[in-house]
Amino acid sequence: MSREVYICDMEPIITIRNLSKNYGEKVALNNINLDIYPGQIIGYIGPNGAGKSTTVKILAGIIQDYSGDVQVAGIDLAENVLEVKKKIGYIPELPEMYDLLTPREYLTFIGKLFHLPDELIESRTVKMLSSFGLKDNIDQRMDGFSKGMRQKVLITSGLLHNPQIIIMDEPLSGLDANAVIIVKELLQVLKAEGRTVFYCSHMMDVVERVSDRIVLIDKGAIVADGTIEELRKDSSDSLEKIFAKLTLSEDNTERTGSFASVFKDEIENPTTPHE
Amino acid sequence: MNRVLLFLIMLPSGLWKRLGADIAQLQAILKVKLMMDNRKPLSFGNNKGMEHRKKKDRKYTVWLTMFLSFFMGIMYVLPIIITKFDTVIGLTFFYTMFVFVFTFTLITDFANVLIDTKDKFILFPRPVTDRTIMLSRLLYIMIYLLRLVIPMSIPAWIVFGLIKGWKGALFFPVPVLLMVFVVLFLVSAMYIIMLRVAKPGRFKDVLNYFQIIFSVFFFAVWMLSSRMINPESFQALEVQAYDWVKYFPTYWMATCWTWVDNTAKVLPGTRWMSVLAIVFPFVSLWATVRFLAPAFIKSLVASDNSNEAKPVQKKEGADTKKSKVQLYKWAEMLNKNNAAKAGFILTWLQTSRSRNFKMRVYPSFAYVPVYFFFILMQGGSSFSEVWEGLSEGTGYIGLLYLTTFVIMQAINYITMSEQYKSAWVYYSAPVEKPGEVIAGAYKAMWVKYFLPFMAAISAFTVVVWGGSVIFDVIIATVNITLFSVVIMRMSNRALPFSRKEQIKDSGLKTIVRVLGTLLLMGVLAITHLALVGLASPTDSSFTLDLSGFFNTRWLTIISFSLKLVLLILSSIFLWLVFDSLKNTDWKSLQKAEQHI
């Protein structure tokens, strides 16, 4: 419902036209077309290897050799990747950071790459990390951090320059329950401020709850696009079920069943010796 | 130290800006990289309490390295002395040596810096241009280079200060700095050519072999040329005699000295070439950053992405499947328990695929013959003379023991890996004695690298020296094995691929240990050589001449029986040490890891 309103009122902030990308012979993305409007949270989902990360990496300016046309806030990505990067905050799936640094040092470094003034970096760093409960860890080296602590620093580093568009790839991984609540609240705040969030995840229940619009891709192509209600089409299926229906040809239950029965079969027919 | 270097590097920031870099970003990147260098990561299984102690050690080693570089620098003064302080020709030699040595160092050591894709997720999504990234890498390498070059050129600097006065002393660093740019350009140009030539995705493998070939090439040229050039021919050295030298950038740098030194002799009509010395480094740097950087960064991304996306293509082919079955059979045969088998198989497979491992170990195969001829040619005789006289002497003993190099390189690197964190599996698995895993890993290295190489060398030895040397081959094999197991037990007792790759920096302790082990090797090899020499005293300089007391037949018998004793003793020691390695438990492993 809300989607139609946006289409009438606003220019899309991200326009993707005929986007394709191959790795050698393997097709990663096959003719993707997508319009994304400001102030929306887009749940971008799909099975492993469907092309989610490739899309996200193209938007973040990491992959630059693709075919097709991508416009971000009216800027052509191929022509001015630097301007696009300034508007985007990218939170990658793996918490790759220079973990020999302290959060303060690392975030100062990132801030400098965006030409933020030192005082601003400092104040944002302290405020953002404090809200994640990392105030006491601000001057400790990250190589001793837990996965969740790293993830918090990673999220902070993606939001530090106050980007218009935020791309999150599995942002909740490793976070404890309290931090999950903070991130979910953060998503709503960002949305309220008119920012666009591109949210990639495998956690269907979270996607279902936070997203204004869900885009499902499989084998490099969009197979479903709409609000959760639109995807349900009057059925009462959960997103998980819809996902399975659209992306699995064989019966899912049979697969999991056969996985679980491996040990049972071994006990019943002890052909292989095991220790 | 770093702060000073960073300051110096950022001095010509106007120049960097013209090259297309963003100064603030450039400085931020360099600062972070240098900061990280000073912080050593904790290796897996180490507790945090170690941190402080190690930090201190580190500082001490920085100075130690610089001190050693200074001593090496004294070596570089030699061509200047040999050429009787002829400014231009002496310095041409000096610069050429420097360029050679540093290009060599950079190709092997800084490949990882230049083609690092680890910060892909950190730098590439941020608004940083390709040129900035490229320049940050080049300057980062340059800081390293300066850290080596400065202490190494100090002795020559002093010499020039003494003979040329204050002008010379002041001027000395200028051409040296220009030379650093040339080295930087040479290395990056070579890498960029490689990136262009190789298909994306395969380029890291191609690069790997390229590096190996180059390091062997440089090593061979370096070793052999320094032998072949007869110092006596320098006596009447005149610039005129080496006309071709004017085509080399190092000569141009040397001609710079005509600016401050009126007595400097140059080739007729080449005085203007000093201008080239200034122009060439900057034009080449400009070309690198301006034209090659985007292609460079793009192929880096491409190579990395295609690696990610094509795991299917890396699938093992049908023939490797067969060899894998063979590998499992060997693992069964050579190891008694499952922990050892696991260590054996893991080490075998990992060393076949790890680029870094190959990079470090494979050149050593080539170093052995190069070293061998280098030692033989020390007398100054020509290659053909050496070749003809080869079968007469006891040179094969030296050759056989040189193979130590191969197994040493191999075992030195099996404990290290980029993915050292993956070593958690050992700790979570029900491994009773980690020593079993280590012993399995050692066996894999022995079977995979040492055995075939030793077989090849032995075949060569038998062909040249005749079948009678087979017994010596066996003794040498046992001795080298004993020696390498001792090293493994004493200074390299860690689980395979469990440590972060880094320069060993426990300072003095390492030096003492290295000297100790070398002493052991020397004792083993020289005892062997002496026993061989007993039988034919005229060929060997390392032995007692007993020919006055016994006839030749008796001498042969005595030599043989003593060699047999040596073999038996070595075998017993080998068994004991290996057993002790195998029985390493968790407690002693932890202790050993702290001392590495």
Side-chain angles (χ1 to χ4, degrees):
Chain A
M1 220 172 78
S2 56
R3 193 169 151 230
E4 274 97 65
V5 177
Y6 283 119
I7 290 172
C8 309
D9 285 5
M10 289 172 143
E11 289 285 303
I13 188 142
I14 300 174
T15 320
I16 297 174
R17 289 285 172 272
N18 307 324
L19 179 64
S20 297
K21 165 80 192 164
N22 303 337
Y23 293 115
E25 283 172 19
K26 194 184 167 236
V27 180
L29 289 180
N30 186 11
N31 215 17
I32 298 270
N33 285 289
L34 203 58
D35 283 317
I36 290 163
Y37 297 90
Q40 274 190 319
I41 298 175
I42 312 294
Y44 198 57
I45 56 175
N48 291 329
K52 286 194 308 292
S53 285
T54 305
T55 320
V56 159
K57 279 180 190 169
I58 289 172
L59 280 177
I62 297 176
I63 296 174
Q64 290 178 22
D65 54 332
Y66 54 83
S67 67
D69 184 46
V70 180
Q71 302 265 341
V72 177
I75 306 162
D76 190 306
L77 182 66
E79 265 167 31
N80 203 341
V81 74
L82 232 51
E83 281 307 310
V84 173
K85 283 181 183 180
K86 283 181 192 165
K87 298 192 187 318
I88 288 181
Y90 175 49
I91 298 159
E93 189 177 359
L94 299 170
E96 297 274 6
M97 289 183 289
Y98 297 131
D99 56 9
L100 291 178
L101 304 181
T102 67
R104 194 197 295 274
E105 287 164 346
Y106 181 70
L107 292 170
T108 308
F109 164 67
I110 295 294
K112 280 206 159 58
L113 293 184
F114 283 96
H115 298 287
L116 301 180
D118 287 351
E119 312 81 63
L120 188 65
I121 299 173
E122 172 66 21
S123 71
R124 282 188 188 168
T125 297
V126 174
K127 279 183 206 156
M128 286 172 156
L129 289 179
S130 303
S131 70
F132 269 137
L134 285 186
K135 199 175 180 192
D136 297 335
N137 308 88
I138 211 160
D139 289 313
Q140 288 169 2
R141 277 198 218 172
M142 294 190 281
D143 54 356
F145 278 19
S146 70
K147 202 179 166 198
M149 288 160 89
R150 280 166 202 250
Q151 189 66 23
K152 288 173 186 172
V153 180
L154 189 75
I155 292 173
T156 311
S157 80
L159 297 174
L160 194 70
H161 62 291
N162 196 10
Q164 238 177 301
I165 299 157
I166 298 105
I167 299 173
M168 293 181 166
D169 203 344
E170 213 60 77
L172 301 181
S173 75
L175 294 184
D176 58 35
N178 293 331
V180 168
I181 294 169
I182 295 173
V183 173
K184 282 183 187 163
E185 281 173 9
L186 185 70
L187 285 170
Q188 296 311 319
V189 172
L190 291 169
K191 185 185 156 183
E193 285 177 2
R195 278 164 233 268
T196 312
V197 181
F198 210 80
Y199 188 97
C200 296
S201 181
H202 290 295
M203 295 184 198
M204 294 302 147
D205 49 338
V206 182
V207 174
E208 190 176 337
R209 252 176 290 137
V210 301
S211 311
D212 299 311
R213 174 181 169 197
I214 293 165
V215 177
L216 203 170
I217 72 164
D218 189 25
K219 300 187 182 81
I222 295 175
V223 291
D225 179 2
T227 61
I228 181 71
E229 290 78 22
E230 283 166 0
L231 291 190
R232 272 188 192 132
K233 286 181 205 140
D234 306 322
S235 71
S236 61
D237 283 355
S238 68
L239 185 58
E240 211 161 34
K241 282 238 173 79
I242 298 166
F243 182 91
K245 264 189 209 161
L246 287 168
T247 59
L248 262 185
S249 39
E250 299 113 282
D251 190 3
N252 208 15
T253 50
E254 192 178 294
R255 280 204 198 175
T256 47
S258 60
F259 191 97
S261 66
V262 169
F263 303 122
K264 213 177 114 204
D265 288 352
E266 267 178 16
I267 296 162
E268 283 164 7
N269 326 297
T271 46
T272 48
H274 54 245
E275 284 132 284
Chain B
M1 188 73 197
N2 277 340
R3 209 173 289 170
V4 177
L5 283 172
L6 185 62
F7 174 76
L8 285 176
I9 282 284
M10 292 313 291
L11 269 185
S13 56
L15 180 67
W16 308 147
K17 205 168 180 175
R18 295 224 68 159
L19 286 172
D22 183 310
I23 299 306
Q25 291 178 343
L26 189 65
Q27 185 150 10
I29 296 170
L30 286 173
K31 195 176 157 197
V32 158
K33 297 254 172 189
L34 291 173
M35 206 190 296
M36 283 192 297
D37 282 338
N38 279 343
R39 298 181 185 175
K40 210 171 72 175
L42 309 164
S43 68
F44 194 88
N46 268 356
N47 47 5
K48 282 187 189 168
M50 307 275 299
E51 217 171 315
H52 291 286
R53 199 175 60 87
K54 283 198 172 159
K55 220 174 184 176
K56 218 171 146 195
D57 281 357
R58 173 103 191 166
K59 241 181 192 160
Y60 160 72
T61 21
V62 167
W63 288 108
L64 190 79
T65 334
M66 290 188 72
F67 193 64
L68 284 175
S69 315
F70 177 80
F71 268 95
M72 278 173 76
I74 293 177
M75 201 181 83
Y76 295 106
V77 185
L78 277 177
I80 296 165
I81 296 168
I82 289 169
T83 55
K84 300 201 165 155
F85 304 105
D86 182 291
T87 316
V88 172
I89 203 79
L91 278 171
T92 305
F93 270 103
F94 177 75
Y95 297 144
T96 310
M97 277 168 85
F98 256 73
V99 168
F100 252 83
V101 168
F102 286 113
T103 311
F104 171 68
T105 323
L106 285 186
I107 281 184
T108 49
D109 291 0
F110 290 111
N112 291 337
V113 178
L114 210 55
I115 61 165
D116 185 15
T117 50
K118 245 189 283 170
D119 49 16
K120 189 174 73 166
F121 284 105
I122 299 165
L123 291 182
F124 292 1
R126 268 87 199 193
V128 186
T129 61
D130 296 345
R131 285 178 198 159
T132 310
I133 294 179
M134 183 76 181
L135 200 64
S136 77
R137 289 189 179 184
L138 289 179
L139 292 182
Y140 176 57
I141 293 173
M142 188 150 160
I143 289 175
Y144 261 97
L145 212 56
L146 284 176
R147 235 187 258 165
L148 294 170
V149 167
I150 291 171
M152 271 199 199
S153 55
I154 283 175
W157 196 343
I158 294 169
V159 169
F160 268 79
L162 289 177
I163 57 174
K164 303 283 177 198
W166 63 269
K167 259 189 186 169
L170 273 182
F171 187 66
F172 189 84
V174 178
V176 170
L177 224 94
L178 294 174
M179 188 201 67
V180 170
F181 279 116
V182 171
V183 172
L184 217 54
F185 166 69
L186 279 178
V187 173
S188 51
M190 264 190 268
Y191 279 126
I192 287 162
I193 290 167
M194 284 308 302
L195 282 163
R196 283 265 154 119
V197 174
K199 276 185 206 151
R202 292 288 299 165
F203 113 86
K204 278 184 179 170
D205 295 320
V206 178
L207 186 71
N208 182 14
Y209 290 108
F210 176 81
Q211 284 173 329
I212 292 171
I213 292 165
F214 253 81
S215 33
V216 171
F217 173 76
F218 273 115
F219 182 76
V221 167
W222 182 246
M223 283 307 219
L224 294 176
S225 66
S226 65
R227 279 295 138 201
M228 280 170 173
I229 295 172
N230 192 345
E232 277 147 39
S233 67
F234 281 113
Q235 298 301 320
L237 196 73
E238 286 289 314
V239 190
Q240 280 78 2
Y242 296 90
D243 191 42
W244 43 265
V245 86
K246 68 181 173 202
Y247 299 109
F248 287 87
T250 44
Y251 173 75
W252 310 339
M253 321 246 122
T255 57
C256 288
W257 280 84
T258 53
W259 305 339
V260 291
D261 181 7
N262 295 325
T263 61
K265 281 176 285 176
V266 294
L267 285 166
T270 58
R271 191 175 275 262
W272 62 273
M273 283 186 172
S274 59
V275 181
L276 282 183
I278 302 284
V279 176
F280 178 71
F282 287 104
V283 168
S284 48
L285 187 73
W286 177 76
T288 314
V289 177
R290 197 88 189 170
F291 298 115
L292 300 174
F296 185 74
I297 302 290
K298 205 176 267 175
S299 24
L300 277 187
V301 179
S303 70
D304 216 44
N305 280 335
S306 43
N307 277 353
E308 259 170 45
K310 283 190 290 190
V312 209
Q313 292 201 350
K314 282 227 165 176
K315 212 166 71 179
E316 306 302 307
D319 51 317
T320 44
K321 218 177 217 170
K322 217 162 142 195
S323 68
K324 220 179 196 170
V325 172
Q326 199 63 41
L327 166 63
Y328 286 113
K329 265 189 204 155
W330 278 338
E332 281 302 320
M333 248 159 52
L334 296 167
N335 299 286
K336 265 185 247 155
N337 68 39
N338 283 329
K341 278 174 212 163
F344 186 93
I345 293 167
L346 172 79
T347 311
W348 189 293
L349 293 176
Q350 185 85 357
T351 53
S352 300
R353 290 167 202 176
S354 159
R355 195 176 299 117
N356 275 348
F357 183 85
K358 285 196 244 177
M359 184 55 221
R360 268 137 176 180
V361 176
Y362 287 14
S364 62
F365 290 103
Y367 289 163
V368 172
V370 172
Y371 251 130
F372 179 58
F373 284 104
F374 165 70
I375 293 166
L376 284 181
M377 286 165 88
Q378 260 179 332
S381 39
S382 78
F383 188 79
S384 55
E385 279 169 29
V386 167
W387 185 252
E388 269 160 34
L390 197 60
S391 62
E392 318 260 291
T394 51
Y396 63 94
I397 297 290
L399 181 58
L400 289 173
Y401 280 92
L402 275 175
T403 55
T404 315
F405 211 49
V406 173
I407 183 88
M408 284 301 295
Q409 282 294 98
I411 61 171
N412 195 19
Y413 289 109
I414 48 168
T415 57
M416 294 179 208
S417 170
E418 287 160 3
Q419 292 161 328
Y420 64 102
K421 282 180 183 163
S422 313
W424 62 266
V425 289
Y426 301 119
Y427 295 84
S428 71
V431 176
E432 196 188 343
K433 277 184 197 149
E436 299 278 6
V437 180
I438 299 171
Y442 173 83
K443 274 186 199 161
M445 289 299 90
W446 195 88
V447 176
K448 190 180 179 191
Y449 294 113
F450 179 66
L451 193 63
F453 191 68
M454 192 63 176
I457 294 284
S458 307
F460 173 80
T461 312
V462 170
V463 168
V464 176
W465 280 275
S468 58
V469 299
I470 285 179
F471 191 51
D472 293 307
V473 169
I474 295 167
I475 297 174
T477 307
V478 173
N479 277 351
I480 293 165
T481 311
L482 167 63
F483 174 68
S484 54
V485 174
V486 169
I487 297 289
M488 195 78 188
R489 168 69 182 75
M490 301 300 287
S491 62
N492 207 23
R493 201 154 47 133
L495 287 160
F497 314 107
S498 66
R499 295 195 294 133
K500 169 105 182 149
E501 291 188 41
Q502 60 203 3
I503 305 141
K504 283 196 176 177
D505 59 358
S506 39
L508 201 63
K509 237 192 230 161
T510 320
I511 294 171
V512 171
R513 208 158 37 200
V514 167
L515 286 180
T517 46
L518 280 179
L519 202 69
L520 171 69
M521 191 68 217
V523 169
L524 287 172
I526 287 168
T527 314
H528 189 177
L529 191 61
L531 296 181
V532 171
L534 270 183
S536 49
T538 42
D539 293 340
S540 175
S541 45
F542 272 114
T543 190
L544 289 167
D545 190 351
L546 298 176
S547 51
F549 305 97
F550 304 100
N551 64 25
T552 329
R553 216 180 90 101
W554 270 107
L555 282 176
T556 314
I557 292 169
I558 293 170
S559 163
F560 182 81
S561 40
L562 284 177
K563 280 199 272 186
L564 194 65
V565 173
L566 176 66
L567 178 63
I568 292 166
L569 284 177
S570 289
S571 306
I572 292 170
F573 273 113
L574 174 59
W575 185 75
L576 288 173
V577 180
F578 194 75
D579 201 54
S580 146
L581 178 69
K582 215 165 63 180
N583 284 317
T584 304
D585 55 16
W586 285 110
K587 224 179 195 172
S588 47
L589 181 77
Q590 205 176 9
K591 232 186 245 165
E593 274 179 341
Q594 284 175 2
H595 288 291
I596 288 173

